[in-house]
Amino acid sequence: MPKRKDEITSRIGWSTADKINVHGLDLPNEILGHMNLGDLAFLLLKYRAPTPEESRVFNAIVLTLVEHGITPSALAARITYMGAPESLQAAVAAGLCGLGTVFVGSMEGAAKMLSAALPPEKLGTGVDLKALAKDIVADFRSRKAIVPGLGHPVHKPIDPRTPRLFEIAAENGMAGEYVELIQLVQKEAEQASGKVLPINATGAIGAICCEFQFPWNIVRGIGVMARSIGLVGHILEEQNNPMAFELWQRTEEEILKTSGVEK
């Protein structure tokens, strides 16, 4: 078992009868009216408020992940809500459970790949990024593994979110070696495979998260934060314009039809 701690500590925040403190800032007077939701999320991840430039870039990556239509996570939330309308939070949780290596969570894989290949201590040391990209792609191909952050089932030949994210990062001094590296990885992967493999939004976000030097194993959490907002919106629409019951019934009908069974 882990060794018992002498004291239980937390740097995040505390409350008393008349005060609420978050990372050293007074919530009513220094956060409310001064920070937006993205800035507060940044504060929780970096233990400091963002600069104006960091705020613009971080809010852009969070906004990118909020909504992407009737995705599997949105369907899971809507169908769960249909079965348990008394538990909105369970429906949101159901949708979040699907944020894995295929949807949204792939930003974690991209961040892990980039930060492992180019540790922060090697930034600015003249690493040959082209050679590094070649090694990254060769490694993934040798394992018959998909390079995280590349390819999209709908957005081809370009994911329209990616160039805009890179543009915002560049405008605010956040397009460094990690952004360059994933672009080189894309070129190498396309050349090696002969396929069109656009850098998708989660690949771009993974690279930008490395520019922020977020630990790769917390990066998926940014997607969880963002998509929670989108799923609440889907549940509101499900209340007013439901589709879950219809989807269930049509699926049943199709299965019966293809099975040759009359209802």
Side-chain angles (χ1 to χ4, degrees):
M1 293 181 63
K3 183 180 178 182
R4 185 181 176 89
K5 296 176 68 173
D6 293 331
E7 295 180 329
I8 296 175
T9 62
S10 172
R11 296 175 59 186
I12 294 176
W14 49 262
S15 299
T16 63
D18 61 345
K19 292 185 181 297
I20 303 172
N21 184 283
V22 180
H23 280 302
L25 298 179
D26 181 69
L27 177 67
N29 298 308
E30 295 181 290
I31 294 178
L32 301 185
H34 299 280
M35 283 188 176
N36 57 46
L37 185 59
D39 290 349
L40 183 56
F42 185 95
L43 174 67
L44 291 173
L45 295 177
K46 294 291 281 187
Y47 297 178
R48 63 173 177 82
T51 65
E53 294 77 17
E54 289 172 331
S55 174
R56 284 190 285 273
V57 177
F58 185 78
N59 274 283
I61 65 176
V62 174
L63 288 172
T64 300
L65 296 166
V66 169
E67 182 50 44
H68 202 204
I70 306 298
T71 58
S73 60
L75 287 171
R78 285 172 178 261
I79 291 169
T80 302
Y81 185 77
M82 178 192 70
E86 73 281 0
S87 186
L88 182 148
Q89 70 274 17
V92 172
L96 295 178
C97 284
L99 305 187
T101 54
V102 177
F103 297 103
V104 179
S106 52
M107 56 196 286
E108 175 187 294
K112 182 179 182 181
M113 172 186 74
L114 296 170
S115 59
L118 185 62
E121 61 269 18
K122 290 190 177 181
L123 291 171
T125 62
V127 173
D128 186 340
L129 297 182
K130 287 186 178 180
L132 196 56
K134 193 176 186 69
D135 290 343
I136 290 171
V137 173
D139 173 58
F140 276 89
R141 287 180 64 80
S142 71
R143 295 185 278 116
K144 294 182 171 57
I146 295 172
V147 179
L150 300 186
H152 197 281
V154 177
H155 302 309
K156 296 176 183 180
I158 296 172
D159 184 329
R161 300 166 294 182
T162 297
R164 181 58 180 146
L165 284 168
F166 286 159
E167 181 181 34
I168 293 168
E171 289 170 350
N172 290 280
M174 296 291 296
E177 291 179 80
Y178 290 114
V179 169
E180 182 180 357
L181 179 56
I182 198 166
Q183 292 172 323
L184 291 169
V185 166
Q186 179 214 10
K187 291 178 182 177
E188 180 64 31
E190 288 191 331
Q191 184 176 352
S193 67
K195 298 178 181 178
V196 175
L197 296 171
I199 301 172
N200 56 47
T202 55
I205 290 169
I208 295 170
C209 284
C210 287
E211 300 287 357
F212 278 114
Q213 296 192 19
F214 292 131
W216 67 264
N217 55 1
I218 202 64
V219 166
R220 189 182 304 193
I222 298 170
V224 172
M225 295 175 192
R227 192 52 61 89
S228 297
I229 297 169
L231 293 176
V232 172
H234 274 276
I235 291 168
L236 175 61
E237 184 177 75
E238 186 66 23
Q239 292 172 349
N240 298 321
N241 183 23
M243 69 169 64
F245 184 84
E246 181 79 10
L247 290 170
W248 171 37
Q249 291 299 298
R250 287 192 186 184
T251 302
E252 287 262 306
E253 290 169 6
E254 287 294 318
I255 291 171
L256 291 172
K257 181 179 178 181
T258 56
S259 300
V261 178
E262 290 189 12
K263 195 168 182 179

